Amino acid sequence: MIIKINRNGIYQTYEINNIEDRTTILEVLEQIKNYQDPSLSFRAQCRASICGTCGLKVNNQTVLACKTKVKDLAVNDEIVIEPLSNMPVIKDLVVDHDEFLNKLKKAKAWLIPKEPLEKVYPEDLATYDRETDCILCGICYSVCPAFTNDKDFGGPINFVKIFRFWKDKNDTLNDERIQIAAENNITSCIHCKYCTFSCPKQIPVEGDILQLEFYGKQKGIIKKQEDFGFNFGFGF
């Protein structure tokens, strides 16, 4: 198996012969680092699709390295591994998460609890259960084309978190969450659904954005856009 890795703009080639059906991208990277090139840099931690640190691109698909099998993505016995987009590269496959983490702070992406807390029933949890699976991997952020036209766009990950706490009856902010979504330029979303298609936890990201935006416009919290031009930096 030929493994090509984008290392700061230069594609370096490695060859590994013992690829099995169960071999993951992460195992390949570790084998290269341990036995061929100790200078290779990448992120990994839990190996169980929980920590979200091992996100990267493999043959132009955004994946978690620890859960993705090499043979599932290989083309002609070759894979190309690259760092995530929309974030500065620190070294090799390691990208800088500071920008999207700072945007999460702006979005107040945490519970601000009521006193006292109300009981939460299964039907309550069902309204935001999928969103609680978000592992902050940054994959949705990396595939979002809206940043081409709006660098201040909060990003899909922000709106997943805003949606999750907006739906939680134990959060004190209630519709203030919608105002926060407006301040994060939610209307810059172009609804391409790349975030939904790429999410390793199958969270309906674009659907959450639609709900927030629709509700906000109905309540007059989010201003309705009059310009319906399609000057977007992507194509279908």
Side-chain angles (χ1 to χ4, degrees), residues 156-189:
I157 195 170
N158 271 21
F159 302 115
V160 167
K161 292 298 182 182
I162 290 171
F163 181 93
R164 180 256 180 271
F165 294 114
W166 175 55
K167 288 291 187 178
D168 193 328
K169 64 182 182 182
N170 279 310
D171 186 77
T172 59
L173 295 188
N174 298 318
D175 282 1
E176 188 179 333
R177 295 282 181 189
I178 306 299
Q179 180 60 41
I180 292 172
E183 293 168 359
N184 277 263
N185 296 2
I186 190 172
T187 55
S188 289
C189 173

Side-chain angles (χ1 to χ4, degrees), residues 107-121:
K108 297 184 180 179
W110 55 84
L111 181 72
I112 300 177
K114 291 180 178 178
E115 293 289 346
L117 293 175
E118 296 183 40
K119 291 182 179 179
V120 177
Y121 298 97

Side-chain angles (χ1 to χ4, degrees), residues 9 27 30 37 64 78 81 87 89 97 112 124-125 135 146 162 179 198 216 232 235:
E27 288 172 330
E30 289 176 333
D37 190 346
L64 293 177
E78 177 179 299
I81 305 176
M87 288 172 272
V89 176
H97 290 165
I112 300 177
D124 298 320
L125 182 60
I135 57 176
I162 290 171
Q179 180 60 41
S198 300
F232 306 134

Side-chain angles (χ1 to χ4, degrees), residues 194-210:
Y194 291 173
C195 50
T196 299
F197 297 149
S198 300
C199 178
K201 294 297 182 179
Q202 289 78 54
I203 298 171
V205 185
E206 189 266 346
D208 293 348
I209 295 173
L210 274 176

